[in-house]
Amino acid sequence: MPLPTCPVRPLDLPVALLLATALMTAGLTGCSALSPFNTCEDTAPRLRDLRSQSILNSTPGGTTAPEGFDSVDSRCIDDTGDAWLYAARVYVFPGSRQEVVDFYRTTARADGWHLQLDPSDRDTPETTAGLCFTKGGDGEALLLTVQFTTARELKVEYGYDAGPEFDSGSGFEIEVGSETDGAKTGCFG
């Protein structure tokens, strides 16, 4: 006696084919579906290299580090889908922003850094926009920024209540950054 058969409804076949295709695709792409982005995994040696950059400790005479910012802050951040490494310092200089700009233009150049200018914003003075430099080739490329900061910005970014050192003079942050693999990167997109 033959087994009873159930007729296949027209919707069952498309749903079954869709499910089979989805499972097969997932199985076939299991190895190739890995993220094309870099992660923070195994970046400790590169972070040590960033922290050791001498430019982070080169400052104009009279510069001080605010309380709580007396050492290099270094991290790997991968919350944007592609990891970025950085090492940074925050300083206060009792003089003008122009003196800070002049110091880093000279000091960074002497250390092999190349100043990059923003092609889309040549009218904003460096005393407002800050400075950006690059160094090294593909596989060892670094990015250096010098950005001015205020007591208010430190409060927002770090939760830091700046002391009287920010009442006069110029607060600034200097950062050396890098892709996790040292790939060449530019200052302005």
Side-chain angles (χ1 to χ4, degrees), residues 172-183:
F172 65 95
E173 183 171 8
I174 180 168
E175 179 181 306
V176 176
S178 170
E179 297 284 348
T180 59
D181 60 0

Side-chain angles (χ1 to χ4, degrees), residues 66-67 69 89-92 147-163 165-166 171-173:
E67 185 179 329
F69 289 98
R89 296 286 312 258
V90 174
Y91 291 109
V92 177
Q147 298 291 318
F148 294 99
T149 190
T150 64
R152 183 177 180 278
E153 289 166 343
L154 287 176
K155 178 70 174 172
V156 169
E157 189 169 342
Y158 299 105
Y160 177 75
D161 288 318
E165 66 269 22
F166 274 86
F172 65 95
E173 183 171 8

Side-chain angles (χ1 to χ4, degrees), residues 29-171:
T29 62
C31 291
S32 62
L34 297 174
S35 172
F37 301 109
N38 295 319
T39 66
C40 288
E41 190 173 323
D42 300 324
T43 58
R46 187 109 178 114
L47 277 173
R48 276 192 300 277
D49 180 51
L50 294 180
R51 279 193 305 271
S52 70
Q53 294 295 311
S54 61
I55 195 77
L56 291 171
N57 296 310
S58 297
T59 60
T63 299
T64 59
E67 185 179 329
F69 289 98
D70 48 357
S71 63
V72 175
D73 175 29
S74 63
R75 298 176 196 209
C76 180
I77 301 172
D78 63 359
D79 60 355
T80 61
D82 207 6
W84 178 255
L85 305 173
Y86 77 88
R89 296 286 312 258
V90 174
Y91 291 109
V92 177
F93 176 65
S96 71
R97 286 183 172 192
Q98 187 61 54
E99 290 173 284
V100 173
V101 165
D102 294 343
F103 175 85
Y104 283 106
R105 279 178 152 267
T106 303
T107 304
R109 184 178 300 126
D111 194 30
W113 294 92
H114 304 282
L115 179 64
Q116 305 293 307
L117 300 175
D118 186 349
S120 66
D121 190 14
R122 294 196 185 271
D123 295 332
T124 303
E126 293 169 331
T127 53
T128 301
L131 299 166
C132 187
F133 302 85
T134 58
K135 181 179 184 179
D138 209 20
E140 58 184 36
L142 300 173
L143 190 73
L144 168 67
T145 57
V146 178
Q147 298 291 318
F148 294 99
T149 190
T150 64
R152 183 177 180 278
E153 289 166 343
L154 287 176
K155 178 70 174 172
V156 169
E157 189 169 342
Y158 299 105
Y160 177 75
D161 288 318
E165 66 269 22
F166 274 86
D167 291 344
S168 62
S170 303

